[in-house]
Amino acid sequence: MKKIVVLTGAGISAESGIPTFRDSNGLWEGHRVEDVASPEGWHRDPAKVLDFYNQRRQKAREVQPNRGHVVLAELEEYFDVTIVTQNVDDLHERAGSTKVIHLHGSLFESRSTKDEHLVYPIEGWELKLGDLCEQGSQLRPNIVWFGEMVPLIEVAAHHASGADAFLVVGTSMAVYPAAGLISYVPYDALKYVVDLKIPDVGALPYLKTIQDKASTGMEQVKKELLEWIA
């Protein structure tokens, strides 16, 4: 079974109603990144950070996966599919994808501020000051903030290096180290980029760009991939 690795970004979730980080009307409007998505912001005002992510969590619970998410899940019937997502929502899982690597963490998990290996599911939408890990330290969102290491990047790079096809869906390819994953993909692998605004990924062999939103662009990719293995 051929291996497909998919790198997804904010564009695929935007179709479900989750504003993207760089949209002028995005959820981060009114908040400086340093205040709500950095270790410094957390140390300065943990209550503000918790409130910010509680609002995001509430919003993510209200929306549904779109056709782009569903098509990626459907590909598992024909391929070995690993999704590497920069998104912190759970829309891939809710659409039915079974192998999802969350590079930047998960909105629906908390972790200890004392031991980063202590990770817990968040029941409901709220994480509060006074919610403690088993060692007695405050819980924080299990999100990779700016300035922090991306612990799963090596796992993702390993998958990319074994891909028969590599898809880039709904990402500006502006955030590293995620954007660098395409450099691990084998020379002769099929490569697709699907986005309303095609990012610059350089002159790669066997590359096809589809300037479209994820929901309709992925329908075309699925059709071509099935023809590829027919």
Side-chain angles (χ1 to χ4, degrees), residues 151-171:
L152 293 175
I153 193 66
E154 290 183 9
V155 176
H158 173 74
H159 282 284
S161 68
D164 295 299
F166 187 79
L167 317 181
V168 175
V169 185
T171 172

Side-chain angles (χ1 to χ4, degrees), residues 74-141:
E74 289 173 352
L75 287 175
E76 290 192 17
E77 188 178 338
Y78 311 96
F79 302 97
D80 173 11
V81 182
T82 298
I83 293 174
V84 179
T85 187
Q86 299 169 82
N87 301 332
V88 296
D89 59 63
D90 61 350
L91 294 175
H92 283 302
E93 288 90 343
R94 284 163 55 193
S97 290
T98 60
K99 288 194 275 188
V100 184
I101 297 170
H102 282 272
L103 278 185
H104 297 157
S106 169
L107 203 47
F108 297 96
E109 291 177 348
S110 64
R111 82 167 188 249
S112 167
T113 47
K114 188 174 183 180
D115 180 352
E116 64 182 27
H117 298 103
L118 293 176
V119 175
Y120 309 89
I122 295 176
E123 305 298 336
W125 61 272
E126 203 171 12
L127 185 62
K128 303 188 290 290
L129 279 178
D131 289 344
L132 308 177
C133 77
E134 62 208 57
Q135 294 184 11
S137 74
Q138 174 65 41
L139 291 171
R140 57 163 273 183

